[in-house]
Amino acid sequence: MAAITNANAKETVTAKKLEALRERLRAHNLDAWLIPSVDEHINEYLPRNRERRAWASGFTGSAGDFLVALHEAWLFVDSRYYEQADTEVALGQIHVSKMGMEGQPGLSEKIKALAESSQHFRLGFDPFTLTVQQYQSFKKSFDSTGIELVPISENLADSLWMDPPPPVLSEVFAIPESISGKSWQQKLSEVQDKMKALKVDVLPVTKLDQIAWLFNLRGQDISYNPVFIAYAIVTTDQAHLFIDAARMQPQALEDLASRVGIHPYEDYQKRLSEHCSVKTVLIDPKHTTAGTLFIVEQHGGMVREAEHPVELMKALKNETEIHMMQAANLKASRGKIRAWFWLERQIQAGRTVTETSFRDAIEGFYAEEQDFMGLSFNTISGAGANSSIVHYGTPDPAKKLEKGELFLIDSGCQFLGGTTDDTRTMFVGSGFIGSGQAGETPTERQKLCFTEVMKAHINCAMQRFPKGTEGARLDGVTRYTLWQNGLDYGHGTGHGVGAFLNVHEGPNGIHKLATKPLEPGMITSIEPGYYQPGWGGIRLENLYRVIELEADADGIRWYAFESLTYIPFEQKLIDFSRLNAEQLQWLRNYYAAIVEKIAPTLAPDEAAWLKEVCTIG
C-alpha cells in the first residue's frame, strides 16, 4: 500500500510541475522546452541549485535530456540509465526513450515528430545550458523543417523552482607546484602561445575543470569535483577570472593579482561582449555554451572554431601529476582491498552486510588514507539484481548481500593531487580462498560472463598500439572476445580522468565515438562489463596511464598501458581454462605487482589474505 501511495504522490507532483511549465510555454508562445542534463558550465555533476532536470522530471542520473511539450514529456537516456529512469520518473506523465534500443527515438527525432502537425514549431531553450555543438546539430537537423530554435534568457525551470537548495560557495585554494608540476604563470603563457599560433585574440573558458587546472586553484562547490563556480577570459596578453574575490584564500588572490584581473562572477557576459568586439574568438563547440557564442556574434566578434587548448594540455599529465595519480590510486587500491577483506570476514562470521553498510565501510577505509579529500563520485554498491544497474548510486540499507549473488562495487576518491576510479565484481559466499571453507559455488553462467569480461579487460590492458591510435579502435579490441560469446555492454570502454579534478574528463576516451588519439601522459579507465536485468551485472575497471615504448626498427612509435590500480579480481569467478597463455601471464604479472606494492602496507592478517587471493594455482 505504501508503494502505491508513493507512486501516486510522484505522479501528482510531476503533473503539477509539468502543467506549470506548460503555462510558461504558452506565455512565451513556445511548443516545447528543453532541459538538458548540464548547466551553464557544462558540468556532469551539478551544483545543487542547478539540478533543473532532476527537479522537473525526478530523474537523477548524470546524463539524460528532458523535453516538455504542450501535451507530452520525454526523458532521453542511454543504456547506463534504462533501469534507473524507469524507477525514478512518473511513467504516467513522462515517456522514457531508451536510446540505442530499436524503435526508441532520439531527442532530435522526437522533436521532429512533435513538429509534424505544426506549420511552425517553436522549441525554447536556455542558451547557457546548451553546448555550441548541440545547438549546431539542432540547426542542421531542423533545417527546412519549420522548427524554430528560440533562446530564452529566463530559464523557465528556474522561474518555477521556488525553493532550490542554496549553492555551496566553498573557499577557493591554490595547489602548489609540487602537486601541479607547473606554475599557473607557465600554463597561462603556454595557452597564450597556442592562441597566437591559432591567430585568435580571445579565449572564453567556461568549464570549471579547465579554469581550476589553468590557475592551479581548487574548491568544493560541487559534490565529488574539486572545482569552483567561475568563468575566465584569456586574451593574448591578459587573463580575467570571474569569481567573488572574498571566496579566495588571501595568498591565492595575491598571487594571481600580478597577471589576472579578478571580477564578479556576474560580469562575465558584459566583459566578454567588450573583449570580443572586432576580435577573433576561439570557440570549442564541445566545451562552450551557445550563450557564449551568441554574445560573441552579437557584439562583432569573429568566431574561429577549434579544440580548446586547455582541454588537451590538461589531459597530457606531466611527471608530477603522474606521480600524484600513482600515489592516489595506490591508496584507493589499498582501501578497496581492505574493504574486501572486511567483507569476507563479515560473511565468514555470519554477520549481515547490506549494500549501505558495505558502502559505509569502504568509504571509511578510504577516509583513513592520508590527504583524503572526499569521493570522486557517489559510491555504487549493488548486490544481486541491483548490480545490473550501471550507475546504481542509491545503495539500499534493506538489501542484504545474499550468498550466491554477484556484488558490484564501483568507487573512487579525491586525494590531494590525485583522482581515482575502480570497479570490482565480487561473489558473495561464506568461504574465501585461504579460509579452508568451500563456501558457495558460482554458477557456470556467472563464471563464464565474469571470465569473458576479465579477458576483455586484459586484452585491452596488454594491447600495444602505434602512435595515432584512436580510442574507438581499442574499444573494438576490448569487445571482440565478448562478442564471440554473445555478450556486450552499452557504455564506453574507458574515459579520461583528471589529476585532482573531474573523474570524467576529455578529450581522450575509449568508446565507439572516440576520435582523439591516445598519447603518453593521458590517463584512461578500462572498464568492460556485462549486465542482465534481474540477473546481475559485472564490471571490471582499472585506471591506466599511456606510456611510450621503444621505437621499433622501422621508427614506428609504439604505446602501451601501465596500470595505476592494483586490486585482485574475484578468483572464485574465474574459469582459468578460458584464458590463453598471454592472458594468464598478464594476470600473474599483475598479481605479483599487487603483492609487491600493497601487501607491505597492510596489517599482517590483511597481507596474508591478499597474498593468498593473488596466488594462481
Side-chain angles (χ1 to χ4, degrees):
M1 182 64 70
I4 295 175
T5 301
N6 290 338
N8 290 340
K10 183 193 297 184
E11 294 284 339
T12 300
V13 169
T14 301
K16 289 181 178 179
K17 290 178 180 178
L18 294 182
E19 182 50 39
L21 272 169
R22 286 167 180 144
E23 285 295 324
R24 295 300 171 98
L25 293 183
R26 297 182 187 100
H28 286 275
N29 193 27
L30 298 172
D31 297 286
W33 177 257
L34 176 63
I35 306 179
S37 64
V38 301
D39 66 352
E40 290 83 346
H41 299 280
I42 320 177
N43 287 312
E44 176 185 16
Y45 294 98
L46 304 180
R48 295 184 301 176
N49 64 327
R50 289 296 181 259
E51 294 176 344
R52 301 171 174 114
R53 189 215 53 214
W55 170 80
S57 69
F59 175 65
T60 62
S62 63
D65 297 325
F66 188 43
L67 180 69
V68 180
L70 291 173
H71 302 292
E72 54 186 297
W74 286 78
L75 176 69
F76 301 86
V77 297
D78 62 40
S79 62
R80 295 172 295 171
Y81 300 106
Y82 288 172
E83 293 184 72
Q84 181 178 341
D86 283 343
T87 61
E88 288 188 339
V89 308
L91 296 176
Q93 303 294 324
I94 298 171
H95 303 284
V96 176
S97 179
K98 298 176 180 178
M99 296 184 298
M101 291 183 65
E102 188 173 351
Q104 297 287 302
L107 176 58
S108 294
E109 184 182 354
K110 174 47 61 176
I111 293 170
K112 289 179 182 178
L114 291 171
E116 285 179 352
S117 59
S118 173
Q119 289 185 337
H120 187 69
F121 187 91
R122 287 167 52 86
L123 173 66
F125 65 99
D126 177 346
F128 283 93
T129 65
L130 200 66
T131 65
V132 172
Q133 183 181 59
Q134 182 67 82
Y135 173 72
Q136 292 173 338
S137 175
F138 281 158
K139 285 186 66 177
K140 182 178 179 180
S141 180
F142 300 153
D143 186 39
S144 303
T145 63
I147 298 173
E148 180 185 1
L149 297 171
V150 184
I152 303 290
S153 58
E154 172 197 30
N155 190 295
L156 301 191
D158 290 352
S159 67
L160 295 169
W161 193 3
M162 303 306 296
D163 56 348
V168 174
L169 299 175
S170 63
E171 183 178 50
V172 177
F173 60 95
I175 58 171
E177 200 169 331
S178 60
I179 289 175
S180 67
K182 190 178 291 187
S183 70
W184 67 263
Q185 292 96 331
Q186 187 176 353
K187 291 179 179 180
L188 180 59
S189 293
E190 290 176 0
V191 170
Q192 290 170 330
D193 287 343
K194 290 181 182 295
M195 291 172 60
K196 293 172 186 175
L198 290 167
K199 294 181 170 55
V200 297
D201 306 301
V202 181
L203 174 68
V205 192
T206 60
K207 288 197 67 182
L208 303 186
D209 61 334
Q210 293 177 350
I211 296 169
W213 179 88
L214 178 58
F215 295 108
N216 284 346
L217 299 172
R218 299 294 189 271
Q220 294 181 312
D221 289 3
I222 299 177
S223 298
Y224 313 120
N225 300 300
V227 297
F228 51 93
I229 305 298
Y231 284 107
I233 297 174
V234 179
T235 69
T236 53
D237 59 357
Q238 295 177 317
H240 303 271
L241 181 63
F242 297 86
I243 186 174
D244 180 1
R247 298 179 53 198
M248 299 182 65
Q249 284 185 347
Q251 185 58 49
L253 185 62
E254 181 181 345
D255 187 40
L256 288 174
S258 61
R259 287 183 63 184
V260 180
I262 308 296
H263 313 278
Y265 176 81
E266 295 76 16
D267 284 0
Y268 167 71
Q269 295 185 36
K270 177 177 179 291
R271 290 274 181 168
L272 178 61
S273 67
E274 295 170 350
H275 279 287
C276 70
S277 179
V278 299
K279 298 288 180 65
T280 301
V281 182
L282 190 153
I283 295 291
D284 183 336
K286 291 182 179 179
H287 300 117
T288 312
T289 63
T292 290
L293 173 66
F294 294 165
I295 290 174
V296 173
E297 292 178 334
Q298 290 163 7
H299 290 85
M302 294 166 285
V303 173
R304 175 163 296 167
E305 292 190 6
E307 182 178 74
H308 203 293
V310 173
E311 192 70 0
L312 181 58
M313 293 169 65
K314 176 166 55 67
L316 297 173
K317 275 66 175 177
N318 60 50
E319 287 303 314
T320 300
E321 290 173 316
I322 291 291
H323 174 74
M324 299 303 296
M325 289 291 285
Q326 289 171 328
N329 280 272
L330 283 176
K331 294 173 186 177
S333 297
R334 178 166 51 236
K336 186 158 282 183
I337 287 169
R338 294 183 66 201
W340 191 350
F341 174 74
W342 173 86
L343 173 64
E344 295 279 20
R345 284 297 174 91
Q346 299 304 306
I347 293 172
Q348 184 187 24
R351 302 188 185 100
T352 296
V353 179
T354 67
E355 291 177 342
T356 301
S357 65
F358 183 84
R359 177 202 64 189
D360 294 344
I362 194 170
E363 291 178 4
F365 287 120
Y366 288 149
E368 292 179 13
E369 296 288 341
Q370 186 176 7
D371 292 330
F372 175 77
M373 301 292 288
L375 302 176
S376 57
F377 56 94
N378 52 325
T379 300
I380 297 170
S381 175
N386 290 339
S387 62
S388 71
I389 304 174
V390 179
H391 278 193
Y392 177 67
T394 53
D396 186 350
K399 177 62 181 89
K400 300 177 183 178
L401 275 58
E402 304 289 350
K403 294 175 182 178
E405 287 184 333
L406 297 174
F407 177 44
L408 188 151
I409 180 75
D410 185 349
S411 54
C413 306
Q414 297 286 1
F415 294 101
L416 188 62
T419 303
T420 81
D421 182 7
D422 52 69
T423 309
R424 286 297 181 268
T425 301
M426 308 168 189
F427 178 76
V428 183
S430 60
F432 60 92
I433 294 174
S435 71
Q437 299 182 22
E440 283 64 39
T441 302
T443 66
E444 288 302 311
R445 179 156 181 79
Q446 286 174 329
K447 293 184 69 172
L448 181 149
C449 294
F450 182 93
T451 305
E452 290 303 324
V453 171
M454 189 183 73
K455 285 168 56 180
H457 181 112
I458 293 172
N459 288 343
C460 188
M462 68 181 183
Q463 183 66 50
R464 288 163 45 102
F465 50 96
K467 175 181 170 60
T469 299
E470 300 173 346
R473 295 169 67 184
L474 292 175
D475 185 78
V477 168
T478 309
R479 295 175 193 268
Y480 170 71
T481 53
L482 283 168
W483 289 345
Q484 296 300 98
N485 289 274
L487 307 175
D488 198 10
Y489 50 98
H491 55 76
T493 295
H495 56 84
V497 180
F500 190 32
L501 278 172
N502 295 359
V503 75
H504 296 148
E505 77 163 20
N508 58 291
I510 304 176
H511 53 81
K512 296 172 184 176
L513 301 177
T515 58
K516 190 70 179 178
L518 293 165
E519 295 288 341
M522 289 179 172
I523 291 176
T524 182
S525 67
I526 295 177
E527 49 181 304
Y530 173 70
Y531 313 91
Q532 181 180 327
W535 177 79
I538 299 161
R539 183 162 64 255
L540 301 174
E541 176 186 20
N542 285 3
L543 296 190
Y544 293 86
R545 70 162 174 149
V546 180
I547 61 172
E548 183 166 3
L549 306 175
E550 290 186 9
D552 63 15
D554 297 322
I556 298 175
R557 296 173 64 183
W558 289 89
Y559 300 156
F561 292 116
E562 180 181 272
S563 187
L564 301 179
T565 305
Y566 291 94
I567 306 168
F569 299 105
E570 173 66 272
Q571 283 213 46
K572 293 191 289 288
L573 286 167
I574 302 174
D575 181 352
F576 287 96
S577 68
R578 302 185 73 88
L579 273 61
N580 63 31
E582 285 185 313
Q583 293 161 347
L584 184 59
Q585 187 58 51
W586 184 94
L587 190 61
R588 290 185 187 278
N589 293 343
Y590 181 60
Y591 276 8
I594 293 172
V595 172
E596 177 186 355
K597 294 175 182 294
I598 304 294
T601 69
L602 299 174
D605 56 346
E606 294 170 333
W609 174 83
L610 178 63
K611 292 175 183 178
E612 193 67 36
V613 299
C614 287
T615 300
I616 299 175

